[in-house]
């Protein structure tokens, strides 16, 4: 009888070692499959900036580090549930008494601590590299307001102030966005650049990107900011330096009718340019002639029918003076009187009167 415990002890030990080896093997296979799946999934939109690549690489490292941990926890849980489940006849039995194990406790404290410190350090260096000032950075002021983005280039306009509703950036040019808001909190986000930041009333926030892929990408407001939040979108054009300079010239030049147009036709063409371009009216308003179908503001073909120049001008520069039925105050930006030149405003007002009173 005294011999029995000695023969049973090694047997139990062998069994538990076999359990552990089985568990490790399952965990290893599951980790490899998990990492392979995680790395095949396309988590990001096309990477269109240097920083997007850095963010994407960081994300991959985090995935590779977290998949085995997830797998480890799940394998241990599932393995124990299956292997050590209660079998018929064991209802009244108690499990073996377990005492603390210092070695295991040290390992499960030290390992996560080291892993966290390692990942935090890596993340810190990536962030520092993304935020590092680069030589010859171009500043772009980004102004958020319900429900549009406007952009200006303080270093480039050379005294000729202009605001753009479409963002143009030269490829491979380091850019620093200075983000401000006129009213509530917005969030300036170009998903393809992989960075976003809140626009907070009263302060200027900023981030840097270097776009490195030609193309057209959406700008999104990523902070619920009111009724028109989902329409607060824009477009960024990443273009060659040459194209950028040409665009800049077209922005700072006074509005010009298309070649060949004369008299009222020329004026109407300029007004339409302002409507669809600089002022970005079509994003919120429906106007048949301009082919726009925005729904945030009144349908102008209806709302401006029979109205005179004075009413239309007031509706643009002081939109809260008279509110169309069914729409709220403060939805339309109130600074068109400042952001549009007198020429642009005159052309826009005349164009709107003529096209809605045909
Ligand atoms: Cu601005 Cu949402």
């Amino acid at each position: 009888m005294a011999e029995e415990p000695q023969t049973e002890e090694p047997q139990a030990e062998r069994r538990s070692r076999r359990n552990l080896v089985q568990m490790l093997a399952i965990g290893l296979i599951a980790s490899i499959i998990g990492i392979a799946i995680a790395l095949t999934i396309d988590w990001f939109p096309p990477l269109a900036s240097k920083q997007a690549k850095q963010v994407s690489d960081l994300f991959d490292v985090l995935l590779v580090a977290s998949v085995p941990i997830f797998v480890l926890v799940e394998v241990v849980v599932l393995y124990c549930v299956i292997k050590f489940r209660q079998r018929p006849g064991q209802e009244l039995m108690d499990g073996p008494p377990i005492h603390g194990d210092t070695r295991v406790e040290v390992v499960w404290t030290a390992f996560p601590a080291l892993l966290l410190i390692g990942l935090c350090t890596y993340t810190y260096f990536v962030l520092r590299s993304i935020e590092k000032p680069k030589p010859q950075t171009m500043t772009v002021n980004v102004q958020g307001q319900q429900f549009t983005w406007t952009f200006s280039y303080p270093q480039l306009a050379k005294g000729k102030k202009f605001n753009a509703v479409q963002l143009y950036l030269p490829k491979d040019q380091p850019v620093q966005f200075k983000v401000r808001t006129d009213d509530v909190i917005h969030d300036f986000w170009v998903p393809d650049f992989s960075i976003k930041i809140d626009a907070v009333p009263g302060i200027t926030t900023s981030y840097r990107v270097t776009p490195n892929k030609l193309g057209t990408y959406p700008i999104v407001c990523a902070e619920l900011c009111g009724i028109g939040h989902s329409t607060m979108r824009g477009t960024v054009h990443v273009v060659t330096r040459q194209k950028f300079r040409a665009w800049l010239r077209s922005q700072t030049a006074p509005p010009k009718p298309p070649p060949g147009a004369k008299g009222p036709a020329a004026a109407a063409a300029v007004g339409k340019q302002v409507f669809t371009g600089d002022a970005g009216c079509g994003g919120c308003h429906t106007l048949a002639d301009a082919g726009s179908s925005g729904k945030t503001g009144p349908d102008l073909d209806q709302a401006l029918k029979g109205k005179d120049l004075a009413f239309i001008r007031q509706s643009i520069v002081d939109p809260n003076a008279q509110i169309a039925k069914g729409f709220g105050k403060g939805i339309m930006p109130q600074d068109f009187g400042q952001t549009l030149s007198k020429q642009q405003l005159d052309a826009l007002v005349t164009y709107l009167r003529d096209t809605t009173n045909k």
Side-chain angles (χ1 to χ4, degrees), residues 186 221 223 225 229 232:
H186 304 276
C221 175
E223 187 69 62
C225 55
H229 162 68
M232 190 165 168

Side-chain angles (χ1 to χ4, degrees), residues 145-147 149 184-187 221-226 228-230 232:
Q145 59 180 315
Q146 290 168 321
F147 297 98
W149 297 107
V184 299
I185 300 177
H186 304 276
D187 191 296
C221 175
E223 187 69 62
L224 183 61
C225 55
H229 162 68
S230 63
M232 190 165 168

Side-chain angles (χ1 to χ4, degrees), residues 35 59-72 115 119:
I35 289 174
F59 195 74
D60 284 347
V61 170
L62 294 181
L63 278 176
V64 171
S66 21
V67 167
I69 293 170
F70 175 76
V71 167
L72 176 77
L115 188 72
L119 290 178

Side-chain angles (χ1 to χ4, degrees), residues 13 22 34 49 110 116 133 182 208 231 233 258 262 305-306 308:
E13 224 171 77
Q22 270 182 9
S49 75
L116 277 182
D182 283 348
R208 295 169 186 276
T231 65
R233 298 199 159 221
K262 279 205 190 73
K305 197 167 252 164
D308 58 8

Side-chain angles (χ1 to χ4, degrees), residues 80 84 94-102 104-105 108:
C80 293
F84 305 117
D94 210 352
I98 288 172
H99 197 264
D101 186 325
T102 316
V104 173
E105 282 163 24
W108 81 39

Side-chain angles (χ1 to χ4, degrees), residues 44 143 217 264 304 309 315:
F44 292 101
Q143 189 79 30
Y217 310 100
L304 299 184
L309 292 173
S315 301

